[in-house]
Amino acid sequence: MTALIALIPGIPLLGFLVIALFGKLLGRRAVSFLGAGSVTLSAVLMIIVGIAFIISPPADGAYTVTLWHWLTAGGFRAAITLRLDTLALVFVFVITFVGALIHIYSVEHMADDKGIIRFFAYMNLFVGSMLLLVLAGNLLLLYLGWEGVGLCSYLLIGFWYKDPANGYAARKAFIVTRVGDTAMIIGLFLLYVNLGTLNIQDLMQQASLKWVAGSPPAVASAALLLGGALGKSAQLPLQTWLPDAMAGPSPVSALIHAATMVTAGVYLIARTNVLFTLAPAVQMTVAIIGAVTLLVAGLAALGQHDLKRVLAYSTISQIGYMFLALGIGAWSAAIFHFMIHAFFKALLFLAGGIVIVALDDEHDIFKMGGLIKKLPVTFITFLIGSASLAALPLVTAGFYSKDQILWYAWSSEHGSPWLWLAGLVGALLTSLYTFRMVFIAFFGEAKTAITRKPGLTTLIPVSILATLSVIGGFVGLPGNMGNFHPFSTFVDKTLPHVVMNPGMHMETFFQVISGIVSLAGIYAAYVLFLKRKGFAEAFRRSAVSIFLYMGLGFDWLYDRLFVRPVVWLSEIDKEDFIDLFYSGIAAVTGFMHSVMTRTQTGRLRWYVMAISIGVVLVVTIILYL
Amino acid sequence: MVTVSLDIQILLASLLFLMGLVGLLVRRNIIFMLMSIEIMLNSAGLVFVIAGAHWIQTDGQVMFIFILAIAASEVSVGLALILQMYHHYKTLDADAMNKLKDKTTES
């Protein structure tokens, strides 16, 4: 069993090595087979391990494997330790399973791309790093995986590197997430200095023993870890990189920028939940940031023209919901929404990728239209994904996960009506922008001809994800509907239970409200963007829409606030005294050079003369001085 | 047997060396320059012989044999180079060769 756990991240990493080293030798077909095969094998192993885990749960709630000691320096020891508990199991399941489906999809989707060898090498490295991140037993190993996925994200956003804009987007993603990563590594130092270990289990134990709630070191370290999570999960104020990250291929957006990597921040907070419980102020901040982010991103999604940018903003918004759930202490609800979100968001990106390829790389939803009859399977799956995203009541998985968060936002100990209201308005926005996208992109008359029909190997993964987006919700039914929730029971073995306020019995009422809001959003989208001819175009040209299109001006603000001052400073500081010193050395050397060249005349007899005079001088000096 | 003082002997060798040096400096013909170098080399050999005679050691003469051998091989290489140079430049003037570049590739 322990060997199998090590193989789950091991196989994709091995796949990366083989493809990176021998990819050219193996050829394109073998590489796609190997790239998709390694992740699929990992998924199969995961299912075996998962079944074993559920049948015979380990005594202390986790399988632990120590592979070898990574480094020992003084009192500091870091081991390569993999730890599989129920929380990690859910993440490993989503990463390998959704990852495998996306890899299989990519075989056809990327078949004509010149860089397919590079693509599969990066993708395998990404899956390996992400698995390392969630399986890591200590925070240093987690940080290794954390940076690994950041690197892969950079490489894959800039995958089509010949367009400078893609390189710009890749650098932006890397630099913005680096801001968070810096905070996180400082947090790790702080934790080590205070508690003397980085092993997550020991760390949590020590923290709850040594620190009282709200003490400065607990608040500081929780805030710093939150900084890392904000960067990776694209939450306010570090959310600006994710929409630009859509420059990469669609499978990359599906896997990295929707399903797995961006939820690493959610994982980190859930994993270090003890720290956040010890710092109530920081935990409150998590909830508020989540609430604000889901509103901001939901508004920004309304103004986008690019199909993938709409989905990108919806990702930010949905992760906002997860942060909201984490902030109010509804740990398992956040993880539940993460899983369901991974299903439907991967589905939306993959189906969107099919549309984009079918229309010869057309991203603008206003140039799409009339796709229902031409791409029927794609339309139905996309519709299912959208319904799940919009939380269509009762039939979709998204309803159950989102409703759980809204209910806890109202009723849990840390919840408040304001957070609930934000979540509710966010739900209205979600169904509005989602169905605006569906109605504009798929309905109406066709505007662009279809050049390529999707094949079976892309449609099967999409269909599987569509199925999961519907039935995935039935593992977490609310208390008044069958009270069947194996998922939260399972995850709660690792995470603390949500603490409810006493006297909360109106769950049905809130479900009806959120159901009505979701349906109202869809109806509003139908009336505004489908029935009223010309409104969509008119809205697109309005000043409000342009402001929303700019992502509420955050890029503009950061450009004025950070980028330009730095550029200006480096502009005026081009020739400071340090530079003067070095250019001075260069000038003196150049001068000496021009002097010395004069002596090199090429006349033999001058050289003899110089040697003779030199000898006379040296002899004189030796004899008389 | 007439004995000559050591000073006179060293003076003779020094004069010989200076003659060679002056010849090297004033001549432009490379064959004469080579000959001047030979004179300088031989003056050094003469010092060895003088020293050997002075201390009644055979080492000085042994060294002179070495120097002769070296001079012979050096001259053979030198003459070969001079031949090549003459082929190339059609002159024996040392000052004509003041460029590292080949004359034919010079524009």
Side-chain angles (χ1 to χ4, degrees):
Chain A
M1 185 53 60
T2 51
L4 286 185
I5 293 172
L7 279 179
I8 291 174
I11 291 173
L13 287 175
L14 194 71
F16 156 71
L17 274 182
V18 171
I19 293 173
L21 293 176
F22 309 111
K24 284 254 160 66
L25 256 66
L26 291 168
R28 300 161 64 88
R29 283 188 67 86
V31 162
S32 9
F33 182 76
L34 205 69
S38 67
V39 180
T40 313
L41 193 63
S42 210
V44 171
L45 280 179
M46 185 276 135
I47 289 170
I48 296 171
V49 171
I51 289 171
F53 192 98
I54 291 166
I55 289 175
S56 60
D60 58 343
Y63 290 123
T64 310
V65 199
T66 301
L67 295 176
W68 64 82
H69 284 284
W70 183 9
L71 45 95
T72 310
F76 177 73
R77 298 172 71 82
I80 304 282
T81 304
L82 303 180
R83 191 170 185 284
L84 184 77
D85 56 14
T86 53
L87 174 64
L89 196 66
V90 172
F91 271 84
V92 171
F93 166 70
V94 171
I95 294 160
T96 55
F97 193 74
V98 176
L101 290 176
I102 292 170
H103 274 76
I104 293 166
Y105 169 93
S106 310
V107 172
E108 187 190 313
H109 188 82
M110 301 296 289
D112 298 334
D113 200 285
K114 272 184 189 162
I116 191 168
I117 295 171
R118 210 156 43 90
F119 177 80
F120 274 109
Y122 293 163
M123 288 289 266
N124 270 354
L125 179 63
F126 167 75
V127 173
S129 308
M130 189 68 198
L131 288 169
L132 207 60
L133 193 163
V134 296
L135 284 172
N138 61 55
L139 284 176
L140 197 65
L141 191 61
L142 186 146
Y143 193 72
L144 180 74
W146 188 275
E147 292 298 339
V149 296
L151 170 72
C152 291
S153 169
Y154 166 78
L155 292 171
L156 284 164
I157 294 169
F159 181 71
W160 289 312
Y161 56 88
K162 283 181 182 160
D163 184 355
N166 295 348
Y168 175 79
R171 286 197 300 279
K172 184 175 175 187
F174 199 71
I175 292 167
V176 173
T177 50
R178 178 115 328 247
V179 174
D181 293 354
T182 310
M184 180 175 164
I185 193 85
I186 296 171
L188 295 196
F189 290 142
L190 194 67
L191 283 173
Y192 179 72
V193 167
N194 276 294
L195 300 174
T197 176
L198 280 181
N199 188 323
I200 295 172
Q201 296 307 308
D202 300 344
L203 206 60
M204 295 305 125
Q205 230 164 18
Q206 294 274 322
S208 52
L209 284 177
K210 284 188 181 168
W211 289 342
V212 290
S215 64
V219 172
S221 51
L224 287 166
L225 289 185
L226 173 63
L230 292 181
K232 204 55 112 195
S233 289
Q235 297 295 292
L236 225 60
L238 299 176
Q239 87 286 24
T240 54
W241 66 271
L242 190 62
D244 288 339
M246 296 301 125
S250 298
V252 172
S253 308
L255 180 63
I256 300 185
H257 304 121
T260 57
M261 181 192 96
V262 288
T263 53
V266 177
Y267 175 78
L268 181 73
I269 294 178
R271 177 55 82 198
T272 55
N273 61 70
V274 176
L275 284 178
F276 284 88
T277 317
L278 285 174
V282 179
Q283 204 187 356
M284 199 62 218
T285 316
V286 174
I288 292 167
I289 286 177
V292 175
T293 306
L294 73 89
L295 288 175
V296 165
L299 282 171
L302 265 179
Q304 303 303 314
H305 318 147
D306 184 329
L307 181 67
K308 283 174 75 180
R309 282 179 83 92
V310 178
L311 294 174
Y313 275 111
S314 84
T315 302
I316 299 175
S317 164
Q318 297 306 304
I319 297 171
Y321 274 104
M322 295 176 213
F323 269 64
L324 174 63
L326 293 172
I328 55 176
W331 309 100
S332 69
I335 306 305
F336 187 40
H337 194 56
F338 149 73
M339 185 175 83
I340 303 300
H341 172 254
F343 293 151
F344 67 67
K345 194 49 67 65
L347 162 64
L348 285 172
F349 268 114
L350 294 186
I354 293 176
V355 173
I356 287 166
V357 167
L359 298 179
D360 196 20
D361 208 29
E362 181 56 69
H363 284 253
D364 192 341
I365 52 174
F366 287 96
K367 290 181 183 156
M368 296 175 180
L371 298 172
I372 302 171
K373 287 200 179 123
K374 286 176 182 157
L375 300 168
V377 182
T378 313
F379 168 66
I380 290 167
T381 50
F382 196 89
L383 191 66
I384 292 171
S386 302
S388 204
L389 172 60
L392 199 67
L394 300 178
V395 291
T396 59
F399 170 71
Y400 295 104
S401 62
K402 200 181 281 180
D403 179 63
Q404 206 175 18
I405 294 176
L406 288 177
W407 167 239
Y408 287 139
W410 176 271
S411 65
S412 83
E413 193 186 29
H414 300 292
S416 84
W418 289 108
L419 293 175
W420 172 78
L421 194 65
L424 198 69
V425 174
L428 181 72
L429 284 172
T430 306
S431 51
L432 191 63
Y433 71 68
T434 308
F435 277 86
R436 165 183 175 267
M437 169 177 72
V438 172
F439 290 140
I440 294 176
F442 284 88
F443 288 72
E445 69 266 29
K447 291 169 193 123
T448 310
I450 288 188
T451 52
R452 190 173 133 182
K453 287 269 182 188
L456 214 56
T457 43
T458 55
L459 288 179
I460 288 174
V462 171
S463 308
I464 295 173
L465 285 170
T467 316
L468 283 172
S469 302
V470 174
I471 62 166
F474 298 129
V475 296
L477 294 181
N480 59 343
M481 293 186 200
N483 202 14
F484 175 71
H485 44 72
F487 185 86
S488 55
T489 317
F490 185 66
V491 174
D492 278 347
K493 284 178 191 163
T494 307
L495 296 170
H497 291 271
V498 54
V499 185
M500 305 285 278
N501 276 335
M504 289 286 179
H505 302 298
M506 303 193 298
E507 194 169 354
T508 318
F509 175 65
F510 284 96
Q511 278 160 354
V512 171
I513 290 182
S514 64
I516 288 171
V517 159
S518 163
L519 289 172
I522 296 172
Y523 183 71
Y526 168 73
V527 169
L528 292 174
F529 297 108
L530 192 63
K531 215 169 165 205
R532 273 175 69 175
K533 298 274 178 241
F535 178 79
E537 277 292 329
F539 178 67
R540 180 187 170 180
R541 292 209 188 83
S542 68
V544 178
S545 175
I546 289 166
F547 177 62
L548 297 179
Y549 174 71
M550 289 164 62
L552 278 70
F554 276 97
D555 270 330
W556 181 87
L557 186 70
Y558 291 168
D559 190 50
R560 299 276 182 300
L561 219 56
F562 302 111
V563 179
R564 290 199 183 175
V566 168
V567 171
W568 178 76
L569 260 179
S570 47
E571 224 22 90
I572 61 162
D573 201 32
K574 233 177 196 168
E575 286 170 11
D576 61 355
F577 69 98
I578 297 176
D579 279 334
L580 280 180
F581 176 69
Y582 287 108
S583 45
I585 289 183
V588 168
T589 314
F591 173 72
M592 293 302 284
H593 160 80
S594 65
V595 169
M596 299 301 270
T597 45
R598 282 165 199 278
T599 66
Q600 199 164 8
T601 53
R603 288 170 194 271
L604 203 55
R605 294 175 307 140
W606 280 101
Y607 294 171
V608 175
M609 197 64 197
I611 293 171
S612 314
I613 292 170
V615 168
V616 169
L617 273 176
V618 168
V619 169
T620 316
I621 288 168
I622 290 172
L623 288 182
Y624 298 106
L625 291 176
Chain B
M1 183 120 175
V2 183
T3 52
V4 185
S5 79
L6 191 63
D7 289 350
I8 303 290
Q9 294 172 16
I10 297 291
L11 195 65
L12 174 68
S14 305
L15 273 175
L16 210 54
F17 186 87
L18 264 181
M19 276 170 65
L21 185 63
V22 171
L24 186 65
L25 286 174
V26 300
R27 288 286 186 175
R28 285 168 69 181
N29 189 320
I30 199 146
I31 291 184
F32 283 98
M33 289 172 79
L34 193 67
M35 286 168 68
S36 306
I37 290 172
E38 287 304 311
I39 291 171
M40 288 160 75
L41 210 57
N42 278 302
S43 75
L46 184 59
V47 175
F48 273 106
V49 174
I50 291 165
H54 179 71
W55 284 300
I56 319 181
Q57 295 271 329
T58 49
D59 296 9
Q61 296 185 23
V62 171
M63 287 309 285
F64 184 64
I65 304 285
F66 273 125
I67 289 172
L68 272 188
I70 290 167
S73 45
E74 178 243 305
V75 163
S76 63
V77 173
L79 282 175
L81 282 173
I82 288 170
L83 266 176
Q84 283 300 317
M85 170 197 161
Y86 187 70
H87 269 296
H88 221 84
Y89 293 93
K90 303 287 178 229
T91 174
L92 287 174
D93 188 351
D95 287 357
M97 294 181 294
N98 59 357
K99 296 275 190 322
L100 284 172
K101 265 194 231 162
D102 198 335
K103 199 178 188 181
T104 50
T105 57
E106 212 175 341
S107 55

